[in-house]
Amino acid sequence: MGEERYLPLFETTNAKGKVLYRFSAVSVSVGICLISVYRVTHIPKAGEDGRFGWMLLFAAELWFAFYWFLTQALRWSRINRQTFKDRLSERYENELPGVDIFVCTADPIIEPPIMVMNTVLSVMAYDYPAEKLSVYLSDDGGSEFTYYAFLEAAEFAKHWIPYCKKYSVEPRSPAAYFVSTASDDQSQNQKQTRDLAVIKKLYEAMAAKIGNAVNLGRISEEVRSKHKGFSRWDSYSSKRDHETILQIVIDGRDPNARDVEGCVLPTLVYLAREKRPQIHHNFKAGAMNALIRVSSNISNGKLILNVDCDMYSNNSKAIRDALCFLMDEEQGHEIAYVQFPQNFDNLTKNELYASLRVYFEVEFHGLDNYWGTSYIGSGCFHRRETLCGKKFSKVNKSEMKWEDKKMGLKYGCPVEDVITGLLIQCRGWKSVYCNPTRKAFLGLAPTTLLQALVQHKRWSEGHLQITLSKYSVVWYGRGRIGLGHQLGYLRYNLWAANCWATLIYSTLPSLYLLRGTSLFPQISSRWIIPFAFVIIAKNIGSFVEFLWCGGTSLGWWNDQRIWLYQGTTSYLFAFIDTIVHYLGYIDSAFVITAKVADEDVSERYEKEIMEFGGSSPMFTVLATLALLNLYCFAWFLKAATTGTKGIAEVYETMSLQILLCVVLIVINLPLYEALYLRKDKGKLPSSVAFKSMAFAGFACICFKFLY
């Protein structure tokens, strides 16, 4: 029995395919080195046409080689972790810690209250002692409609939680569960069928009440009279100017707070923190820190889970998974937080706007090898003490030092979560990555191209700001975290810096087609081999990896397209804005991604038709680059067919440039359709078409005749 007690609560194993991957990585690295040798030994002479383009391509290739090296820090030694929840229950079922769950919302228009309530209800129904659960909703929109929805959800929870526990349902978001039952062919007994009909009717009634209030734009006097909390809105000016609104909707300590089965309910708290126009409120970081302070005076749970308002719980045992790491007798005291991946339930079959699939199925398992998984702002279980500034000491398990007044999330960065996690790790703590078979959380991915690009722009801008700040892993992380861990962070911190190499490779080879100047070895040259090998090996490896992660062939192609679009727009604008920010001209902004879409937008998304539908500088850049490649190829074909050189001779000398140009044209086919063929509202506006045609044409003419 004593021996059984000390069996670990989790185990770590090496990921499969390590030897094969390392062989592939080494061979590609050799190919990259040979490409650099070719560039150095074949530089065009001074005054020779193509010398400038050659040097720029060489610089881009050196950057890509450096970035490839950074990527290997996350792929060289990947690990998997498995938890043993049965052992946890056997040892600690009566000693489980309190858990405070933070749900953050900021705008009732783009984050509908009914969606937020589904997330709240899903975390209230965790397979965990209700008396040890407290759910806090931070409403940065300060909306009485969100508060009203919260009250209705509290009443519905009295029926929903017993139903979930009685039938062990998954998922425990009502909306998601009802969708799953509609497509579930498994037979149910008559009792469950009747109960399902009743609970579904109650949910629909709740949703109707919330929807009617939102549509009417007011809360009825009858409802207001029943709940004194609405009086707090009597002095309400705007969502940017109001006093603190704090309401304990369900007090788990109250003996009368029971569900319909007579069982204890989780504590439920609503918070709209004080806002004043003249005071910076620090976006999500400010909301999280307000919740940390408020919860410490109400429930003061030892663990804190924070989730985005659209990221509902899909696995009712996720808390127990996290506790297997945090309560492990040998290593648990070293772990500050447990991060789960972000997954999405609204992705199309072929992931039109890409996803985070490879990051979470491959790279985060590599980052976990350093005990250093990033904190990504949602689906993360923290020790309260580490968020409040506690510093880890290896001298004694019980000897933990505190750093003065460094509580909560770090301010001043668009990715406040990432920098907060980094600072925790630099204080000596470890973090782990938990990726169970049944995904712990499911959220909503962007449903338009602009949403996807703007979201990635914010992420890459924040990461670059970290790199240039005093908290950069290059100097602040030195001596505090390992070298491999530093390189792993840099893989994301330098996202935005990829823009220049991507722009060079997506324009210069095509532009030099206009002049008939080759920038790559001839197809009959031995030097074509390393170029061909790297291109083929890298893309085959990427393709196989994507399929192994559960993606589709077309999904991989869409992923390549979005990578190109992010590299030439999201990263470019992020890089420029970061430099301007450090020059003191603009402040960083937090852009909320819309969680709802118009019906016609949703229909096009489900049909995997790319959504543009508006004018944006990002679209102008994308359209200009797409048309530039199309114009260059058309001009090149005309010259090749009418000139003295035949097609075969031209192909011999410029095969790689032709191939690259053709690939860029094919990958941009949805954009050409949006420019010229589509008639729906999701097409590109004519203003973007005219500007991009002018810019692309001007660039081609200047390069052909003036350069």
Side-chain angles (χ1 to χ4, degrees):
M1 186 69 183
E3 185 178 342
E4 173 72 17
R5 178 174 176 80
Y6 295 102
L7 288 174
L9 297 181
F10 71 92
E11 70 173 3
T12 304
T13 57
N14 290 324
K16 296 179 180 179
K18 180 185 293 187
V19 174
L20 181 61
Y21 178 79
R22 288 183 175 182
F23 174 78
S24 172
V26 169
S27 61
V28 169
S29 298
V30 172
I32 290 172
C33 291
L34 290 174
I35 289 173
S36 298
V37 171
Y38 170 76
R39 288 293 181 199
V40 170
T41 57
H42 291 74
I43 299 175
K45 297 178 182 178
E48 188 175 342
D49 191 22
R51 180 180 172 87
F52 178 71
W54 187 281
M55 299 302 291
L56 282 180
L57 274 187
F58 186 28
E61 288 162 357
L62 287 176
W63 172 260
F64 285 140
F66 168 70
Y67 201 71
W68 162 262
F69 171 70
L70 293 181
T71 304
Q72 302 319 301
L74 300 177
R75 295 166 179 264
W76 194 255
S77 295
R78 295 181 294 111
I79 60 171
N80 296 317
R81 300 194 192 271
Q82 180 184 354
T83 60
F84 302 105
K85 295 183 285 293
D86 54 338
R87 298 177 187 173
L88 176 76
S89 298
E90 289 172 5
R91 298 178 206 171
Y92 299 114
E93 190 62 35
N94 297 323
E95 304 173 37
L96 296 175
V99 180
D100 291 347
I101 303 175
F102 297 168
V103 181
C104 297
T105 185
D107 191 314
I109 304 301
I110 61 179
E111 295 173 337
I114 189 62
M115 178 199 72
V116 179
M117 294 312 115
N118 271 278
T119 298
V120 168
L121 288 163
S122 73
V123 296
M124 287 182 72
Y126 267 125
D127 179 14
Y128 202 74
E131 65 274 13
K132 296 183 179 181
L133 272 182
S134 299
V135 180
Y136 294 79
L137 176 66
S138 169
D139 180 16
D140 258 12
S143 168
E144 60 182 354
F145 300 109
T146 302
Y147 176 63
Y148 171 59
F150 202 54
L151 294 173
E152 290 293 334
E155 287 301 311
F156 177 69
K158 296 177 182 178
H159 302 268
W160 176 245
I161 295 175
Y163 176 83
C164 289
K165 294 184 176 179
K166 182 177 182 179
Y167 295 110
S168 302
V169 304
E170 296 283 7
R172 296 192 176 182
S173 160
Y177 172 67
F178 296 139
V179 170
S180 68
T181 56
S183 59
D184 191 356
D185 295 331
Q186 291 183 345
S187 59
Q188 298 175 338
N189 59 53
Q190 292 185 350
K191 172 63 174 170
Q192 185 174 359
T193 302
R194 287 196 302 269
D195 288 350
L196 173 60
V198 171
I199 199 71
K200 188 173 183 180
K201 187 176 181 180
L202 288 172
Y203 173 78
E204 290 171 347
M206 177 192 74
K209 289 179 182 179
I210 296 171
N212 289 338
V214 172
N215 293 334
L216 288 173
R218 62 182 177 83
I219 307 296
S220 69
E221 290 301 322
E222 180 184 359
V223 173
R224 285 180 176 275
S225 64
K226 291 181 180 178
H227 303 281
K228 62 180 182 179
F230 284 107
S231 63
R232 302 303 304 274
W233 273 267
D234 293 342
S235 60
Y236 181 87
S237 298
S238 72
K239 70 177 185 178
R240 294 183 178 86
D241 188 10
H242 62 82
E243 295 179 349
T244 298
I245 304 174
L246 176 62
Q247 296 290 314
I248 301 179
V249 176
I250 298 178
D251 190 343
R253 299 164 294 185
D254 184 352
N256 296 319
R258 305 276 172 167
D259 61 28
V260 294
E261 300 288 337
C263 298
V264 176
L265 284 167
T267 295
L268 204 57
V269 181
Y270 173 90
L271 173 67
R273 60 191 170 115
E274 182 181 5
K275 294 278 193 70
R276 300 302 176 197
Q278 66 273 20
I279 300 175
H280 199 291
H281 58 81
N282 294 301
F283 310 115
K284 183 179 176 181
M288 284 284 294
N289 289 343
L291 287 173
I292 292 172
R293 291 191 295 270
V294 168
S295 64
S296 66
N297 292 315
I298 299 176
S299 53
N300 199 30
K302 290 185 178 180
L303 295 186
I304 292 174
L305 162 65
N306 81 284
V307 293
D308 289 341
C309 64
D310 65 311
M311 195 69 64
Y312 68 83
S313 169
N314 185 59
N315 185 341
S316 64
K317 299 186 183 299
I319 296 180
R320 295 176 181 271
D321 276 318
L323 288 177
C324 285
F325 297 104
L326 296 165
M327 297 185 72
D328 182 77
E329 293 88 344
E330 294 298 320
Q331 297 175 293
H333 68 285
E334 300 179 284
I335 299 171
Y337 62 83
V338 179
Q339 178 67 64
F340 288 81
Q342 288 187 358
N343 294 282
F344 309 97
D345 69 351
N346 68 327
L347 292 174
T348 61
K349 178 183 177 182
N350 298 304
E351 299 173 9
L352 181 61
Y353 302 118
S355 68
L356 305 175
R357 181 183 297 278
V358 174
Y359 295 139
F360 290 130
E361 295 299 326
V362 177
E363 295 188 354
F364 266 50
H365 286 278
L367 198 57
D368 194 25
N369 183 54
Y370 307 108
W371 294 91
T373 302
S374 299
Y375 169 37
I376 56 176
S378 183
C380 188
F381 289 85
H382 284 272
R383 292 184 188 273
R384 179 181 289 272
E385 58 192 13
T386 61
L387 277 180
C388 293
K390 205 169 192 180
K391 186 176 182 180
F392 179 76
S393 173
K394 294 183 179 180
V395 178
N396 190 320
K397 290 184 180 181
S398 61
E399 182 185 340
M400 303 289 183
K401 299 178 181 179
W402 294 81
E403 293 197 355
D404 295 334
K405 296 176 185 179
K406 293 186 177 180
M407 187 189 88
L409 274 70
K410 183 72 177 174
Y411 292 149
C413 180
V415 286
E416 68 290 317
D417 41 20
V418 176
I419 195 170
T420 298
L422 173 61
L423 293 179
I424 289 173
Q425 291 161 357
C426 287
R427 292 202 295 267
W429 292 95
K430 294 179 179 179
S431 62
V432 298
Y433 180 57
C434 184
N435 188 10
T437 303
R438 181 174 183 88
K439 302 306 179 185
F441 303 96
L442 290 178
L444 297 177
T447 56
T448 72
L449 178 60
L450 188 59
Q451 288 176 6
L453 296 178
V454 170
Q455 183 184 66
H456 217 80
K457 183 231 176 218
R458 179 174 69 83
W459 292 345
S460 54
E461 181 178 351
H463 275 281
L464 187 59
Q465 286 187 16
I466 294 174
T467 307
L468 300 178
S469 73
K470 68 178 181 179
Y471 297 111
S472 170
V473 293
V474 178
W475 40 83
Y476 189 80
R478 184 181 179 186
R480 292 183 171 95
I481 60 176
L483 177 61
H485 196 182
Q486 289 177 277
L487 297 177
Y489 263 107
L490 283 175
R491 185 260 188 269
Y492 303 110
N493 290 168
L494 295 176
W495 258 338
N498 279 303
C499 64
W500 304 113
T502 307
L503 282 169
I504 288 170
Y505 242 84
S506 58
T507 56
L508 273 186
S510 298
L511 284 170
Y512 273 96
L513 281 178
L514 296 174
R515 303 171 65 88
T517 303
S518 176
L519 299 177
F520 296 93
Q522 296 184 11
I523 199 168
S524 58
S525 169
R526 292 179 301 175
W527 288 107
I528 197 71
I529 296 175
F531 282 91
F533 176 77
V534 170
I535 292 171
I536 294 171
K538 182 68 174 65
N539 282 283
I540 289 179
S542 171
F543 179 72
V544 171
E545 180 180 78
F546 195 85
L547 296 183
W548 177 81
C549 291
T552 64
S553 300
L554 187 54
W556 174 81
W557 181 246
N558 288 335
D559 196 67
Q560 306 308 301
R561 179 187 297 114
I562 297 302
W563 176 86
L564 174 67
Y565 287 1
Q566 289 169 347
T568 53
T569 57
S570 302
Y571 297 164
L572 175 64
F573 285 92
F575 191 95
I576 293 171
D577 281 1
T578 299
I579 300 303
V580 173
H581 166 74
Y582 275 100
L583 292 176
Y585 291 104
I586 62 170
D587 291 326
S588 299
F590 190 95
V591 180
I592 304 171
T593 304
K595 306 301 190 300
V596 290
D598 296 336
E599 186 176 345
D600 57 338
V601 173
S602 297
E603 289 179 0
R604 286 192 289 272
Y605 177 69
E606 291 170 2
K607 295 177 182 177
E608 299 194 332
I609 299 174
M610 191 163 280
E611 184 74 24
F612 296 93
S615 181
S616 165
M618 287 186 172
F619 291 161
T620 302
V621 171
L622 289 179
T624 299
L625 294 176
L627 290 175
L628 183 145
N629 282 281
L630 185 64
Y631 292 170
C632 288
F633 188 69
W635 206 322
F636 164 76
L637 277 183
K638 178 179 178 297
T641 54
T642 59
T644 56
K645 295 182 179 180
I647 292 288
E649 185 178 351
V650 172
Y651 182 76
E652 161 70 20
T653 57
M654 308 184 73
S655 56
L656 281 183
Q657 272 167 268
I658 297 170
L659 175 63
L660 182 58
C661 189
V662 169
V663 169
L664 288 169
I665 290 172
V666 173
I667 210 168
N668 278 305
L669 286 178
L671 201 148
Y672 300 133
E673 292 176 359
L675 279 171
Y676 302 119
L677 302 179
R678 286 170 55 179
K679 304 298 181 184
D680 56 69
K681 293 182 180 179
K683 69 182 182 67
L684 280 167
S686 56
S687 59
V688 172
F690 291 139
K691 284 187 288 187
S692 58
M693 289 168 64
F695 291 151
F698 181 73
C700 289
I701 291 171
C702 288
F703 197 86
K704 173 69 176 176
F705 299 107
L706 300 181
Y707 169 65

